[in-house]
Coordinates of all heavy atoms in Angstrom, one line a residue:
Chain A
N44 N 144.3 -42.1 56.9 CA 143.1 -41.3 57.2 C 141.9 -42.1 57.4 O 141.1 -41.8 58.2 CB 142.9 -40.4 56.0 CG 143.8 -39.1 56.1 OD1 144.1 -38.7 57.1 ND2 144.2 -38.6 54.9
L45 N 141.8 -43.3 56.7 CA 140.7 -44.2 57.0 C 140.9 -44.7 58.4 O 139.9 -44.8 59.1 CB 140.8 -45.3 56.0 CG 139.6 -46.3 56.0 CD1 138.3 -45.5 55.9 CD2 139.7 -47.3 54.9
G46 N 142.1 -45.1 58.8 CA 142.3 -45.6 60.1 C 141.9 -44.6 61.2 O 141.2 -44.9 62.1
L47 N 142.3 -43.3 61.0 CA 142.0 -42.3 61.9 C 140.4 -42.1 62.0 O 139.9 -41.9 63.0 CB 142.7 -41.0 61.5 CG 142.5 -39.8 62.5 CD1 143.1 -40.2 63.8 CD2 143.1 -38.6 62.0
G48 N 139.8 -42.1 60.8 CA 138.4 -42.0 60.8 C 137.7 -43.1 61.6 O 136.7 -42.8 62.4
L49 N 138.1 -44.3 61.4 CA 137.5 -45.4 62.2 C 137.8 -45.2 63.7 O 136.8 -45.5 64.5 CB 138.1 -46.8 61.7 CG 137.6 -47.2 60.4 CD1 138.4 -48.3 59.8 CD2 136.1 -47.7 60.5
L50 N 139.0 -44.8 64.1 CA 139.2 -44.6 65.5 C 138.3 -43.5 66.0 O 137.8 -43.6 67.1 CB 140.7 -44.2 65.7 CG 141.8 -45.2 65.5 CD1 143.1 -44.7 65.9 CD2 141.5 -46.4 66.4
V51 N 138.2 -42.4 65.2 CA 137.4 -41.3 65.7 C 135.9 -41.8 65.8 O 135.3 -41.4 66.8 CB 137.4 -40.1 64.6 CG1 136.3 -39.2 64.7 CG2 138.7 -39.4 64.8
F52 N 135.5 -42.6 64.9 CA 134.1 -43.1 65.0 C 133.9 -43.9 66.3 O 133.0 -43.8 67.1 CB 133.8 -43.9 63.8 CG 132.4 -44.5 63.8 CD1 131.3 -43.7 63.6 CD2 132.2 -45.9 64.0 CE1 130.0 -44.2 63.7 CE2 130.9 -46.4 64.0 CZ 129.8 -45.6 63.8
G53 N 134.9 -44.8 66.5 CA 134.9 -45.7 67.7 C 134.9 -44.9 69.0 O 134.2 -45.2 70.0
L54 N 135.8 -43.8 69.0 CA 135.9 -43.0 70.2 C 134.6 -42.1 70.4 O 134.2 -41.8 71.5 CB 137.1 -42.1 70.1 CG 138.4 -42.8 70.3 CD1 139.6 -41.9 70.0 CD2 138.6 -43.4 71.7
A55 N 134.0 -41.7 69.3 CA 132.9 -40.8 69.4 C 131.7 -41.5 70.1 O 130.9 -40.9 70.8 CB 132.4 -40.3 68.0
L56 N 131.6 -42.9 69.9 CA 130.6 -43.7 70.6 C 130.8 -43.7 72.1 O 129.9 -43.9 72.8 CB 130.6 -45.1 70.0 CG 130.1 -45.2 68.6 CD1 130.2 -46.7 68.1 CD2 128.7 -44.7 68.4
Q57 N 132.1 -43.5 72.5 CA 132.4 -43.5 73.9 C 132.4 -42.1 74.6 O 132.5 -42.0 75.8 CB 133.8 -44.1 74.2 CG 133.9 -45.5 73.6 CD 133.1 -46.5 74.4 OE1 133.1 -46.4 75.6 NE2 132.5 -47.5 73.7
A58 N 132.4 -41.1 73.7 CA 132.6 -39.7 74.2 C 131.5 -39.3 75.2 O 130.4 -39.7 75.1 CB 132.7 -38.7 73.0
E59 N 131.9 -38.3 76.1 CA 131.0 -38.0 77.1 C 130.1 -36.8 76.7 O 129.0 -36.7 77.4 CB 131.8 -37.6 78.4 CG 132.6 -36.3 78.3 CD 134.0 -36.4 77.6 OE1 134.3 -37.6 77.2 OE2 134.7 -35.5 77.5
S60 N 130.4 -36.1 75.7 CA 129.5 -34.9 75.4 C 129.5 -34.7 73.9 O 130.4 -35.2 73.2 CB 130.0 -33.7 76.1 OG 131.2 -33.3 75.5
W61 N 128.6 -33.9 73.4 CA 128.5 -33.6 72.0 C 129.7 -32.8 71.6 O 130.2 -32.8 70.4 CB 127.2 -32.9 71.6 CG 126.1 -33.9 71.5 CD1 125.1 -34.1 72.4 CD2 125.9 -34.9 70.5 NE1 124.3 -35.1 72.1 CE2 124.8 -35.6 70.9 CE3 126.6 -35.3 69.4 CZ2 124.3 -36.7 70.1 CZ3 126.1 -36.3 68.6 CH2 125.0 -37.0 69.0
L62 N 130.2 -31.9 72.5 CA 131.3 -31.1 72.2 C 132.5 -31.9 71.9 O 133.3 -31.7 70.9 CB 131.6 -30.2 73.4 CG 132.8 -29.2 73.2 CD1 132.4 -28.2 72.1 CD2 133.2 -28.6 74.5
A63 N 132.7 -33.0 72.7 CA 133.8 -33.9 72.5 C 133.7 -34.6 71.1 O 134.7 -34.7 70.4 CB 133.9 -35.0 73.6
V64 N 132.5 -35.0 70.8 CA 132.3 -35.6 69.4 C 132.6 -34.6 68.3 O 133.3 -35.0 67.4 CB 130.8 -36.1 69.3 CG1 130.5 -36.6 67.9 CG2 130.5 -37.1 70.3
A65 N 132.2 -33.4 68.5 CA 132.4 -32.4 67.4 C 133.9 -32.2 67.3 O 134.5 -32.1 66.2 CB 131.8 -31.1 67.8
K66 N 134.6 -32.1 68.4 CA 136.1 -32.0 68.4 C 136.8 -33.1 67.7 O 137.7 -32.9 66.9 CB 136.6 -31.8 69.8 CG 137.6 -30.7 70.0 CD 138.1 -30.7 71.4 CE 137.5 -29.5 72.2 NZ 138.0 -29.5 73.6
L67 N 136.3 -34.3 68.0 CA 136.9 -35.5 67.4 C 136.8 -35.4 65.8 O 137.8 -35.6 65.1 CB 136.2 -36.8 67.9 CG 136.6 -37.3 69.2 CD1 135.6 -38.4 69.7 CD2 138.0 -37.8 69.2
F68 N 135.6 -35.1 65.4 CA 135.4 -35.0 63.9 C 136.1 -33.8 63.3 O 136.6 -33.9 62.2 CB 133.9 -35.1 63.6 CG 133.4 -36.4 63.6 CD1 132.7 -36.9 64.7 CD2 133.5 -37.3 62.6 CE1 132.2 -38.2 64.8 CE2 133.0 -38.6 62.6 CZ 132.4 -39.0 63.7
L69 N 136.2 -32.7 64.1 CA 137.0 -31.6 63.6 C 138.5 -32.0 63.4 O 139.1 -31.7 62.3 CB 136.9 -30.5 64.6 CG 137.8 -29.2 64.2 CD1 137.3 -28.6 62.9 CD2 137.8 -28.2 65.3
V70 N 139.0 -32.8 64.3 CA 140.4 -33.2 64.2 C 140.5 -34.1 62.9 O 141.5 -33.9 62.2 CB 140.8 -34.0 65.5 CG1 142.1 -34.8 65.2 CG2 140.9 -33.1 66.6
W71 N 139.6 -35.0 62.7 CA 139.7 -35.9 61.6 C 139.7 -35.0 60.3 O 140.5 -35.2 59.4 CB 138.5 -36.9 61.6 CG 138.6 -37.9 60.5 CD1 139.8 -38.4 60.0 CD2 137.5 -38.5 59.8 NE1 139.5 -39.3 59.0 CE2 138.1 -39.4 58.9 CE3 136.1 -38.4 59.9 CZ2 137.3 -40.2 58.0 CZ3 135.4 -39.2 59.1 CH2 136.0 -40.1 58.1
G72 N 138.7 -34.1 60.2 CA 138.6 -33.3 59.0 C 139.9 -32.5 58.8 O 140.4 -32.4 57.6
L73 N 140.5 -32.0 59.8 CA 141.7 -31.2 59.7 C 142.9 -32.1 59.2 O 143.6 -31.7 58.3 CB 142.1 -30.5 61.0 CG 141.3 -29.3 61.4 CD1 141.7 -28.9 62.8 CD2 141.5 -28.2 60.4
V74 N 143.0 -33.3 59.8 CA 144.0 -34.2 59.3 C 143.9 -34.5 57.9 O 144.8 -34.6 57.1 CB 144.1 -35.4 60.2 CG1 145.0 -36.5 59.6 CG2 144.6 -35.0 61.6
M75 N 142.6 -34.8 57.5 CA 142.4 -35.1 56.0 C 142.8 -34.0 55.1 O 143.5 -34.2 54.1 CB 141.0 -35.5 55.8 CG 140.7 -36.9 56.2 SD 139.2 -37.5 55.4 CE 137.9 -36.7 56.2
L76 N 142.4 -32.8 55.5 CA 142.8 -31.6 54.7 C 144.3 -31.5 54.6 O 144.8 -31.3 53.5 CB 142.2 -30.4 55.4 CG 142.1 -29.1 54.6 CD1 141.2 -29.2 53.4 CD2 141.6 -28.0 55.5
A77 N 144.9 -31.6 55.8 CA 146.4 -31.4 55.8 C 147.1 -32.5 55.0 O 148.0 -32.2 54.2 CB 146.9 -31.4 57.2
S78 N 146.7 -33.7 55.1 CA 147.5 -34.8 54.4 C 147.2 -34.7 53.0 O 148.1 -35.0 52.2 CB 147.2 -36.1 55.0 OG 145.9 -36.4 55.1
T79 N 146.0 -34.3 52.6 CA 145.7 -34.2 51.1 C 146.6 -33.1 50.5 O 147.3 -33.4 49.5 CB 144.3 -33.7 50.9 OG1 143.4 -34.5 51.7 CG2 143.9 -33.9 49.5
T80 N 146.7 -32.0 51.2 CA 147.6 -30.9 50.7 C 149.0 -31.4 50.6 O 149.7 -31.1 49.7 CB 147.4 -29.7 51.6 OG1 146.1 -29.4 51.8 CG2 148.1 -28.5 51.0
C81 N 149.5 -32.0 51.7 CA 150.9 -32.4 51.8 C 151.2 -33.4 50.7 O 152.3 -33.4 50.1 CB 151.2 -32.9 53.2 SG 151.3 -31.6 54.4
C82 N 150.2 -34.3 50.5 CA 150.4 -35.3 49.5 C 150.6 -34.7 48.1 O 151.6 -35.0 47.4 CB 149.2 -36.2 49.5 SG 149.1 -37.4 48.1
H83 N 149.8 -33.7 47.8 CA 149.9 -33.0 46.6 C 151.2 -32.3 46.5 O 151.9 -32.4 45.4 CB 148.8 -32.0 46.5 CG 148.9 -31.0 45.4 ND1 148.6 -31.3 44.1 CD2 149.4 -29.7 45.4 CE1 148.8 -30.2 43.3 NE2 149.3 -29.3 44.1

Side-chain angles (χ1 to χ4, degrees):
Chain A
N44 279 330
L45 185 55
L47 185 64
L49 285 166
L50 288 186
V51 161
F52 181 70
L54 289 173
L56 292 178
Q57 303 288 323
E59 69 278 1
S60 67
W61 282 107
L62 181 69
V64 175
K66 226 183 250 178
L67 281 170
F68 279 96
L69 177 65
V70 168
W71 186 33
L73 286 173
V74 168
M75 280 204 286
L76 193 63
S78 52
T79 315
T80 311
C81 288
C82 171
H83 168 80

